[in-house]
Amino acid sequence: MSPQLSLLPDAPAEIRREPVRLELIDGFANAAPSAKLRELIRELGLLQPVVIVAKRNGRFDVVEGRRRCKAIAQLADQNQWPTPPEVDALALNAPEASRAEVRGGLALALHATRSASPASELREIEAILKTGDADGDVATVKEIAAQTAMSVQTVRRRLRLRSLILKLRDAFDQGMITASVAEAAARLPEPEQQALTRQLAERGKLTLLDVREVARQRNDEAKADLPSELFCDRELPWPAIVRGHIIAALQALPKTEQPLAARLEAALARVERA
């Protein structure tokens, strides 16, 4: 068997979702959650379950969510979380889970097979953004990523979807349009998004090609409203061209070339009279 395959357990893991007492989970003692992460969890709760793996002694090792576990432990110590503290967890019951390399392999497999839900991710981000403090401070992209387990790049892409008009946003939330179509539509002004909404209502679907066509039509209409002279190559009169070359030559000449400079200045004066 290859070294890569040995990272995974010999049999499929059983997965169950359940609340687990934090005192039964090991592996997060050295985690360092930020103050903002603690605040977000205190305000919103745990938006995503942590992933743990069962051990033979009835305890668990954390596979994913070390900082979230630590943040909840710190909140409980400050009487800001119900005690005894529990976490919402996906518990894996996998053979050979006591091996650290198996737990690492499980973590990699979870990341590789997890199917993202862009609409639910955006809702989670918006929930976090609503928790700004009295001074108007809001969570940063990095803080949102820490709380939701999304990458910073994904958070930024989801935030762009907030530019969708209401009808397109509803269609996105209901799964009628994909994230890539929604992201492309969100870049367009409201009139073009309205046109896309009409297309969606008429045809029941919306593609990237539809979005690009609406964007192309917008560009064509914008060009049509501009003077046609803007798109024509204008031929410069010869005095302007020659004048530029003479000035450049004068600027490049060393001071020792005064006779040549005098002749160029005379030529420049003649051009400017033309």
Side-chain angles (χ1 to χ4, degrees):
M1 184 171 63
S2 69
Q4 289 83 2
L5 290 178
S6 68
L7 294 176
L8 295 174
D10 295 332
E14 297 177 2
I15 303 176
R16 63 185 185 276
R17 184 167 181 169
E18 60 185 5
V20 176
R21 290 178 62 164
L22 200 58
E23 64 185 24
L24 297 177
I25 301 175
D26 300 319
F28 63 88
N30 295 325
S34 66
K36 191 65 176 182
L37 177 59
R38 288 195 299 273
E39 179 186 347
L40 292 172
I41 292 177
R42 179 176 59 81
E43 293 289 337
L44 301 174
L46 193 61
L47 294 179
Q48 294 231 359
V50 302
V51 180
I52 57 177
V53 65
K55 299 193 289 187
R56 290 189 177 92
N57 59 2
R59 298 183 62 80
F60 302 88
D61 274 319
V62 63
V63 175
E64 187 178 64
R66 295 171 60 252
R67 287 181 297 174
R68 284 171 281 163
C69 287
K70 184 69 172 183
I72 290 173
Q74 292 171 342
L75 289 171
D77 289 341
Q78 299 168 3
N79 296 320
Q80 296 180 342
W81 192 268
T83 54
E86 291 184 339
V87 294
D88 185 23
L90 290 177
L92 310 180
N93 185 10
E96 305 177 31
S98 59
R99 291 165 48 197
E101 63 270 24
V102 170
R103 293 197 299 273
L106 286 170
L108 292 173
L110 284 168
H111 282 293
T113 59
R114 180 178 296 152
S115 57
S117 172
S120 63
E121 288 173 347
L122 179 55
R123 286 194 292 271
E124 291 172 5
I125 291 170
E126 289 178 324
I128 293 173
L129 291 175
K130 291 178 181 177
T131 64
D133 60 25
D135 297 326
D137 184 30
V138 295
T140 66
V141 169
K142 288 185 178 179
E143 289 163 346
I144 293 171
Q147 165 65 341
T148 59
M150 284 180 262
S151 69
V152 169
Q153 181 182 14
T154 299
V155 172
R156 289 195 176 110
R157 289 174 59 190
R158 298 295 175 260
L159 283 171
R160 295 190 193 110
L161 296 174
R162 303 185 83 201
S163 299
L164 289 170
I165 63 174
L166 181 59
K167 290 183 179 179
L168 286 181
R169 173 64 189 272
D170 288 342
F172 170 68
D173 287 341
Q174 295 168 21
M176 298 174 63
I177 58 176
T178 65
S180 58
V181 170
E183 288 170 5
R187 300 187 188 102
L188 297 176
E190 183 174 342
E192 282 65 41
Q193 291 195 40
Q194 294 287 2
L196 290 172
T197 301
R198 291 191 292 270
Q199 287 190 30
L200 180 62
E202 293 169 2
R203 297 163 44 196
K205 66 176 184 177
L206 207 57
T207 67
L208 271 177
L209 187 61
D210 296 328
V211 179
R212 289 168 183 159
E213 179 62 20
V214 167
R216 184 192 64 77
Q217 291 175 0
R218 173 177 177 268
N219 290 336
D220 290 346
E221 291 170 359
K223 289 180 180 178
D225 292 337
L226 296 173
S228 58
E229 292 83 0
L230 290 176
F231 305 99
C232 298
D233 292 331
R234 294 185 177 182
E235 185 176 348
L236 290 174
W238 71 264
I241 297 174
V242 174
R243 181 179 182 276
H245 286 302
I246 294 175
I247 291 175
L250 283 168
Q251 291 173 343
L253 279 177
K255 294 181 179 180
T256 56
E257 296 292 337
Q258 289 302 320
L260 180 55
R263 292 172 62 186
L264 287 173
E265 288 172 353
L268 179 61
R270 182 176 177 181
V271 169
E272 290 179 339
R273 290 195 300 268

